[in-house]
Amino acid sequence: MAKPTSTFAERVRGKRALFAGAAAALLWTACAHAQGPAGPSPDGLQKDEMYMEADEVIREDDAGLTTANGNIEVRYNGRTLRANRLIYNDQTGVIRAYGNIVIINSDGTFEYAEEIVLDEDMRAGVALGFSARLQENVKIAAATAAKRNENVEELSKAIYTPCEICAKDGSVKTPTWSIAAERVIRDKKRRVVYYRNARFKLFGVSVVYLPLFWHADPAAERSSGFLVPKASVSDRRGLSYEQPYYWVISPSTDAIISPQVNSKIAPFLNGQLRKRFYSGDVDFRFGYTHARDFDGKGNELPGTSTDRSYILGRGSFQIDEKWLWGFTAERASDDLIFDKYEIGKVYDTRGPYIADDRRLISQLYAMRQDEQSYFSVAGMTIQGLRPGAIDPVTGRAVGENDRVFPIIGPLVEGHYEPAPKILGGRLRAHTSAVVLSREQSQTDLSRRLPGLDSARVTADLDWRRAYISPAGLRLEPFATVRADAYRIQDILTGVGSATRKDNMTRALATAGVDITYPFYKRLSDATVVVEPVVQVAASPNAKQVVIGRNTAGEPIYLNEDSIAFEFDETTLFRPNKFPGYDLYEDGVRLNMAGRATVMWDDGRRANFLVGRSFRTEENAVFTNRSGLRTKASDWIVSADAQPIRGMSVFARARLDSDSLDVHRLEAGANVYNKYGSGFVRYLTDDFDINGTKRENLDLGGELNLGKRYGVSFYGQRDLSQDSWVIRDVGVFYRDDCLRVDVIYRREDTIIGRLLPSESVSVRLTLATLGGSFNGR
């Protein structure tokens, strides 16, 4: 019996739900989504409910056939099927769909075919003229697609590409790269796609033939397999090839094994191991070789072969919603191992405590934090990798002596801020304690003198309140009281290796007020804000911790935590400008600045600040290089702006209090537009923390020579030595699914015992197949 109709819509369960569900799941990738949503779908259907619409539905009871014709749309368990014709045979259970078949899955993937045949159990089926758009914009096309069982699907005469295949005008476009094969098998259980007689095509030209090739299923979260290799040639390592392999050990553990083979020196093995636990995760990078040392030209140096290795590890675990503990483990057998084997991403931050550049830190810590309090306890050690002076006998650079670095621990810090206001303002309580132990003194490295050991306990209270007058004047009075207790051992007396010890306590306090009064002015297309800022602070004479005197008879102060200190706009209004605890700023001082801001309506902006500090008496606790020792400090000037779209500039400087000579200047700019991007940084410092003049320039960027081609560059120049440290020049090609970089690098400055070096490297990044492992 036939029943023609112009439109047909119904919601059914049971056998006819199977009919529609099968139709919506017949393509090979659709079956990965066979489980529908637990609740209502966006179109209002419950699980296993079906909605079907067609221009005509015909039921032939005698033949057991149901036929739908014209503009068919079937929605079932979050998927939508569209076709020109659909036939279901309820006697054989076979489903056939014809003409312009499109299936839209709930995850946004699409499948297309001209004809589909599927059995009643949805365990086997065939699609003719098949194509699909999967995750990560992957496209697959094949003459036929066959679903052998629940886990294995097979394509014949297939092509795979993540690149665009349609031009803007709708015409067919040759993909940048693709993989064509006579046979493609997708194993969903192993989450791997296999290729038989595969040809890797670049711009439509076959460049590599592989009888067997495989990669991870795009729908898989992760899968074992080879990653993109890294190749280079240099006069330091010769021809170098590194091939990483990604290994999924378990659902919570994976590893990367990446052997580096070199033509001039011994091979080197890099690796990474990651594991996730219910409360946190660990991540270890490592490397190993057994070889002789070599110079910057790859020549082996006298000596025997020995083990050379490194480890860069971290872990972090959440105990509960407030407590966290973790660790870092960073060590290297050679100061220059990372430079020699070109290992990147070495000095990344892995824990809450950070070491200086070219230094490794190993730490163990625990933290607790809530809305009102913070507490932490930690211990750490440091390894220095900076090369020192050249030994005149061996001709090699003497590395840093790790025995002069203290073992830090325990380091305890705590902060608490009561919720209710105290005297109308906020009150904060701070506690701190630390123990430092050294094996060797820093004062004379030629002799093994005892190292200075110290322990400190600190407690302080900090109060601040804000008043704003109706006219806009803002007053913020503040007060701080603090108590310290010290125990110092192994203080050198200056007579051989004789030492003394000392215990002391001190009380410190500061009171003051911040005063600001902003003025606003509206121009035609901008807002101008001018704001004078004044801070008055006073402290009684502080009892500094003196551990000796120099040859001029001046006191030597204990200073473990304020060495790396710069006087700039960020420290101008600190009541105590020393960032640590050992040194304390005392006396009466006046900190002043003028700030100006211009904000244009189109998004442009500019900021400017100029200021300085005054005191009633000179303060010899500050060093000469700080710019704060005299009654009137150096001038502080800073500015930043975004003058046009895609460009930002900044500058900060410290000028001599009398002559206005530049003692320190840092300036830079960033730019990006359709032609490329770039940056430049300049720094000059009369005396850095090591007491030497520093002046350097960093610049880099990319310039687009066309839509897909361009050049890249990077340079680091030591202006005080009048030499380049590193120069990179490269060319690149990039599009929607591929990037190739060819980079020439020259390292001109001697780093320890590494001579100047030249290298050429190739970096390849393929969409869906990844990039280089541990690239720089």
Side-chain angles (χ1 to χ4, degrees), residues 702-714:
E702 293 183 352
L703 178 63
N704 300 323
L705 301 180
K707 187 176 180 180
R708 295 187 175 91
Y709 295 92
V711 296
S712 62
F713 59 92
Y714 173 74

Side-chain angles (χ1 to χ4, degrees), residues 1-4 58-63 65:
M1 177 179 178
K3 181 182 180 182
I58 301 173
R59 173 63 184 170
E60 301 178 61
D61 292 332
D62 295 339
L65 297 178

Side-chain angles (χ1 to χ4, degrees), residues 8 29 34 43 76-77 94 201 214 314 320 362 425 436 478 494 539 549 594 597 625 628 640 657 734 743:
F8 176 81
T29 53
D43 56 13
Y76 179 76
N77 280 352
V94 175
K201 292 186 176 183
W214 67 92
R314 54 154 296 277
D320 56 29
S362 298
L436 306 177
F478 60 86
S539 305
R549 294 190 176 272
T597 301
R625 71 169 294 271
L628 283 164
D640 65 86
S657 59
R734 65 182 176 192
I743 300 173

